[in-house]
Amino acid sequence: MSTLHVVSHSPFTDSRLASCLRVCGTEDAILLCGDGAYGLHNAALHTKGLKVFVLAEDMQARNVTLPDWADSLDYAGFVQLSIDYDKVNTWL
Amino acid sequence: MKFAIALFSAAHAPSSRRALLFAQAALAGGHEIVRLFFYQDGVYTASNNLVAPQDEQDIARQWRAFVSQHQLDGVVCIAAALRRGVLNNEEATRYQRSAVNLDAPWALSGLGQLHDAAQAADRLICFGGP
Protein backbone atom coordinates (compact mmCIF):
# COMPACT_ATOMS: atom_id res chain seq x y z
CA MET A 1 0.00 0.00 0.00
CA SER A 2 1.39 3.37 -1.03
CA THR A 3 1.14 6.52 1.04
CA LEU A 4 1.49 10.15 0.10
CA HIS A 5 3.10 12.04 2.98
CA VAL A 6 2.16 15.73 3.11
CA VAL A 7 4.60 17.93 5.02
CA SER A 8 3.94 21.64 5.59
CA HIS A 9 6.47 22.39 8.36
CA SER A 10 9.89 23.81 7.55
CA PRO A 11 12.65 21.22 8.14
CA PHE A 12 14.75 24.00 9.69
CA THR A 13 12.37 24.56 12.62
CA ASP A 14 10.75 21.17 13.02
CA SER A 15 11.58 17.46 12.86
CA ARG A 16 8.49 16.22 11.01
CA LEU A 17 10.24 15.83 7.68
CA ALA A 18 13.05 13.83 9.31
CA SER A 19 10.48 11.61 11.08
CA CYS A 20 8.59 11.22 7.83
CA LEU A 21 11.76 10.10 6.02
CA ARG A 22 12.35 7.43 8.67
CA VAL A 23 8.95 5.80 8.16
CA CYS A 24 8.59 6.27 4.41
CA GLY A 25 8.16 3.03 2.48
CA THR A 26 9.68 2.42 -0.93
CA GLU A 27 6.36 3.03 -2.71
CA ASP A 28 5.62 6.21 -0.78
CA ALA A 29 6.03 9.80 -1.91
CA ILE A 30 6.39 13.13 -0.16
CA LEU A 31 4.48 16.28 -1.03
CA LEU A 32 6.03 19.45 0.33
CA CYS A 33 3.78 22.45 0.82
CA GLY A 34 3.86 25.74 2.71
CA ASP A 35 7.16 26.16 4.58
CA GLY A 36 7.72 22.47 3.92
CA ALA A 37 8.90 23.60 0.47
CA TYR A 38 12.20 24.50 2.13
CA GLY A 39 12.69 20.73 2.36
CA LEU A 40 13.92 20.94 -1.24
CA HIS A 41 17.20 22.15 0.29
CA ASN A 42 17.50 18.76 2.00
CA ALA A 43 19.51 16.42 -0.23
CA ALA A 44 18.54 13.46 2.00
CA LEU A 45 15.15 13.53 0.27
CA HIS A 46 16.87 12.72 -2.97
CA THR A 47 19.35 10.13 -1.73
CA LYS A 48 16.58 7.91 -0.32
CA GLY A 49 15.20 7.52 -3.84
CA LEU A 50 11.72 8.68 -2.85
CA LYS A 51 9.43 10.54 -5.20
CA VAL A 52 9.26 14.16 -4.10
CA PHE A 53 6.60 16.65 -5.09
CA VAL A 54 6.14 20.29 -4.15
CA LEU A 55 3.23 22.71 -4.53
CA ALA A 56 4.45 25.11 -7.22
CA GLU A 57 3.02 28.30 -5.70
CA ASP A 58 4.49 27.57 -2.26
CA MET A 59 7.88 26.93 -3.83
CA GLN A 60 7.71 30.11 -5.93
CA ALA A 61 6.54 32.21 -2.97
CA ARG A 62 9.73 31.20 -1.15
CA ASN A 63 12.00 31.58 -4.16
CA VAL A 64 13.12 27.97 -3.89
CA THR A 65 14.54 26.44 -7.08
CA LEU A 66 13.10 23.14 -8.24
CA PRO A 67 15.81 20.47 -8.29
CA ASP A 68 15.79 17.91 -11.10
CA TRP A 69 14.84 15.12 -8.66
CA ALA A 70 11.53 16.76 -7.65
CA ASP A 71 8.32 17.66 -9.49
CA SER A 72 6.10 20.69 -8.94
CA LEU A 73 2.31 20.60 -8.94
CA ASP A 74 -0.72 22.86 -8.93
CA TYR A 75 -3.85 22.03 -6.92
CA ALA A 76 -5.35 19.91 -9.71
CA GLY A 77 -2.10 17.94 -9.57
CA PHE A 78 -2.40 17.65 -5.79
CA VAL A 79 -5.91 16.17 -6.18
CA GLN A 80 -4.64 13.68 -8.77
CA LEU A 81 -1.69 12.75 -6.57
CA SER A 82 -4.05 11.99 -3.66
CA ILE A 83 -5.85 9.58 -5.98
CA ASP A 84 -2.66 7.97 -7.30
CA TYR A 85 -1.63 6.95 -3.76
CA ASP A 86 -3.74 4.66 -1.57
CA LYS A 87 -3.58 6.87 1.52
CA VAL A 88 -2.73 10.46 2.25
CA ASN A 89 -0.99 11.09 5.56
CA THR A 90 -0.67 14.74 6.54
CA TRP A 91 2.02 15.45 9.14
CA LEU A 92 -0.20 17.89 11.04
CA MET B 1 -13.67 9.78 -6.52
CA LYS B 2 -15.19 10.63 -3.15
CA PHE B 3 -13.22 12.89 -0.84
CA ALA B 4 -13.63 13.65 2.84
CA ILE B 5 -11.70 16.70 4.00
CA ALA B 6 -10.79 17.43 7.62
CA LEU B 7 -9.48 20.84 8.60
CA PHE B 8 -7.66 21.29 11.92
CA SER B 9 -6.49 24.91 11.65
CA ALA B 10 -8.15 28.32 11.88
CA ALA B 11 -8.93 30.37 8.77
CA HIS B 12 -5.89 32.62 9.21
CA ALA B 13 -3.51 29.65 8.86
CA PRO B 14 -2.09 29.04 5.37
CA SER B 15 -3.20 25.40 5.65
CA SER B 16 -6.83 26.55 5.69
CA ARG B 17 -6.34 28.25 2.34
CA ARG B 18 -4.62 25.14 0.98
CA ALA B 19 -7.59 23.02 2.11
CA LEU B 20 -9.99 25.40 0.37
CA LEU B 21 -7.98 25.38 -2.86
CA PHE B 22 -7.76 21.58 -2.70
CA ALA B 23 -11.53 21.31 -2.21
CA GLN B 24 -12.18 23.70 -5.11
CA ALA B 25 -9.80 21.75 -7.34
CA ALA B 26 -11.46 18.45 -6.36
CA LEU B 27 -14.89 19.71 -7.41
CA ALA B 28 -13.47 21.30 -10.55
CA GLY B 29 -11.97 17.91 -11.41
CA GLY B 30 -15.41 16.29 -11.28
CA HIS B 31 -14.92 14.64 -7.88
CA GLU B 32 -17.33 14.55 -4.96
CA ILE B 33 -16.77 15.91 -1.46
CA VAL B 34 -18.85 13.75 0.90
CA ARG B 35 -18.15 15.93 3.92
CA LEU B 36 -15.99 18.74 5.24
CA PHE B 37 -15.16 18.24 8.89
CA PHE B 38 -13.89 21.18 10.94
CA TYR B 39 -12.03 20.08 14.06
CA GLN B 40 -9.88 21.67 16.76
CA ASP B 41 -9.03 25.27 15.75
CA GLY B 42 -10.74 24.62 12.41
CA VAL B 43 -14.05 25.34 14.13
CA TYR B 44 -13.20 29.06 14.16
CA THR B 45 -13.77 29.00 10.38
CA ALA B 46 -17.50 28.73 11.04
CA SER B 47 -17.71 31.67 13.44
CA ASN B 48 -19.81 34.55 12.19
CA ASN B 49 -17.82 36.99 14.30
CA LEU B 50 -14.52 36.79 12.46
CA VAL B 51 -13.43 40.04 10.86
CA ALA B 52 -10.46 39.75 8.51
CA PRO B 53 -8.22 42.79 8.00
CA GLN B 54 -9.15 44.65 4.81
CA ASP B 55 -5.81 43.97 3.17
CA GLU B 56 -5.98 40.21 3.77
CA GLN B 57 -7.99 37.46 2.13
CA ASP B 58 -11.08 36.53 4.13
CA ILE B 59 -10.66 32.77 3.98
CA ALA B 60 -13.49 32.11 6.46
CA ARG B 61 -15.90 33.97 4.22
CA GLN B 62 -14.58 32.10 1.19
CA TRP B 63 -15.22 28.82 3.01
CA ARG B 64 -18.76 29.91 3.83
CA ALA B 65 -19.43 30.88 0.21
CA PHE B 66 -17.89 27.65 -1.07
CA VAL B 67 -19.95 25.42 1.24
CA SER B 68 -23.15 27.36 0.45
CA GLN B 69 -22.60 27.49 -3.30
CA HIS B 70 -21.99 23.76 -3.64
CA GLN B 71 -24.41 22.77 -0.85
CA LEU B 72 -21.72 20.75 0.88
CA ASP B 73 -21.99 19.04 4.24
CA GLY B 74 -19.94 21.40 6.41
CA VAL B 75 -19.77 19.76 9.84
CA VAL B 76 -18.21 21.54 12.82
CA CYS B 77 -17.14 19.41 15.79
CA ILE B 78 -19.50 20.32 18.61
CA ALA B 79 -17.09 19.64 21.49
CA ALA B 80 -14.27 21.61 19.85
CA ALA B 81 -16.70 24.43 18.99
CA LEU B 82 -18.21 24.77 22.47
CA ARG B 83 -14.84 25.03 24.17
CA ARG B 84 -13.85 27.76 21.67
CA GLY B 85 -17.08 29.73 22.03
CA VAL B 86 -18.56 28.83 18.67
CA LEU B 87 -22.25 28.28 19.38
CA ASN B 88 -25.42 27.94 17.36
CA ASN B 89 -28.77 29.09 18.65
CA GLU B 90 -29.61 25.75 20.23
CA GLU B 91 -26.34 25.49 22.17
CA ALA B 92 -26.46 29.14 23.26
CA THR B 93 -29.90 28.48 24.72
CA ARG B 94 -28.82 25.21 26.33
CA TYR B 95 -25.82 26.79 28.08
CA GLN B 96 -27.47 30.18 28.65
CA ARG B 97 -24.99 32.17 26.61
CA SER B 98 -25.90 35.53 25.10
CA ALA B 99 -24.01 35.18 21.82
CA VAL B 100 -24.79 33.04 18.79
CA ASN B 101 -22.09 32.95 16.11
CA LEU B 102 -22.79 29.83 14.06
CA ASP B 103 -25.59 29.36 11.56
CA ALA B 104 -26.24 27.82 8.15
CA PRO B 105 -24.50 26.45 6.10
CA TRP B 106 -22.60 25.05 9.10
CA ALA B 107 -23.85 22.21 11.27
CA LEU B 108 -22.61 21.28 14.75
CA SER B 109 -22.18 17.55 15.22
CA GLY B 110 -19.97 14.93 16.79
CA LEU B 111 -16.64 13.33 15.94
CA GLY B 112 -18.58 10.30 14.70
CA GLN B 113 -19.29 12.34 11.57
CA LEU B 114 -15.56 12.34 10.77
CA HIS B 115 -15.42 8.57 11.19
CA ASP B 116 -18.53 8.19 9.05
CA ALA B 117 -17.05 10.43 6.35
CA ALA B 118 -13.78 8.46 6.37
CA GLN B 119 -15.77 5.27 5.77
CA ALA B 120 -17.92 6.78 3.03
CA ALA B 121 -15.07 8.43 1.12
CA ASP B 122 -12.32 6.94 -1.02
CA ARG B 123 -9.81 9.37 0.45
CA LEU B 124 -9.65 11.30 3.70
CA ILE B 125 -7.42 14.34 3.34
CA CYS B 126 -6.42 16.28 6.45
CA PHE B 127 -5.15 19.85 6.54
CA GLY B 128 -3.66 21.60 9.56
CA GLY B 129 -0.56 23.16 11.02
CA PRO B 130 1.16 26.06 9.27
Side-chain angles (χ1 to χ4, degrees):
Chain A
M1 180 171 292
S2 60
T3 302
L4 176 68
H5 296 268
V6 180
V7 178
S8 63
H9 289 75
S10 166
F12 298 107
T13 57
D14 182 274
S15 60
R16 280 175 178 78
L17 184 60
S19 302
C20 170
L21 280 171
R22 268 203 301 280
V23 300
C24 256
T26 50
E27 293 175 14
D28 294 357
I30 297 177
L31 171 63
L32 303 169
C33 54
D35 283 346
Y38 290 120
L40 290 176
H41 289 302
N42 185 348
L45 278 175
H46 173 46
T47 52
K48 259 202 112 179
L50 291 164
K51 285 207 170 201
V52 179
F53 301 92
V54 60
L55 274 180
E57 63 170 34
D58 290 343
M59 181 187 70
Q60 286 157 5
R62 290 160 183 80
N63 196 26
V64 178
T65 313
L66 184 69
D68 57 4
W69 44 266
D71 288 306
S72 68
L73 302 165
D74 59 6
Y75 278 89
F78 185 1
V79 171
Q80 186 57 47
L81 207 60
S82 71
I83 294 167
D84 294 342
Y85 289 82
D86 298 321
K87 301 272 181 197
V88 180
N89 178 40
T90 307
W91 289 70
L92 291 172
Chain B
M1 208 74 173
K2 292 179 178 176
F3 285 97
I5 296 174
L7 179 57
F8 292 70
S9 56
H12 57 258
S15 51
S16 181
R17 177 176 169 274
R18 282 200 296 276
L20 177 61
L21 291 175
F22 182 94
Q24 288 169 341
L27 291 189
H31 303 291
E32 183 190 343
I33 296 174
V34 295
R35 183 166 295 143
L36 296 157
F37 192 84
F38 294 78
Y39 193 37
Q40 295 179 357
D41 282 353
V43 303
Y44 287 126
T45 313
S47 170
N48 242 336
N49 285 350
L50 297 183
V51 180
Q54 288 181 10
D55 59 346
E56 288 182 20
Q57 288 194 64
D58 192 343
I59 300 295
R61 176 157 292 192
Q62 290 179 28
W63 268 117
R64 171 179 290 270
F66 176 71
V67 171
S68 299
Q69 185 191 342
H70 298 285
Q71 299 185 319
L72 298 173
D73 190 12
V75 175
V76 179
C77 176
I78 188 165
L82 289 179
R83 70 163 71 224
R84 288 168 177 81
V86 178
L87 282 75
N88 63 7
N89 196 35
E90 191 183 346
E91 297 307 313
T93 305
R94 189 199 315 273
Y95 295 103
Q96 291 142 37
R97 294 301 195 271
S98 56
V100 174
N101 57 351
L102 184 137
D103 58 8
W106 308 108
L108 285 179
S109 193
L111 197 53
Q113 298 294 320
L114 175 58
H115 184 266
D116 179 64
Q119 299 302 314
D122 299 306
R123 295 286 184 280
L124 167 66
I125 319 286
C126 299
F127 290 87

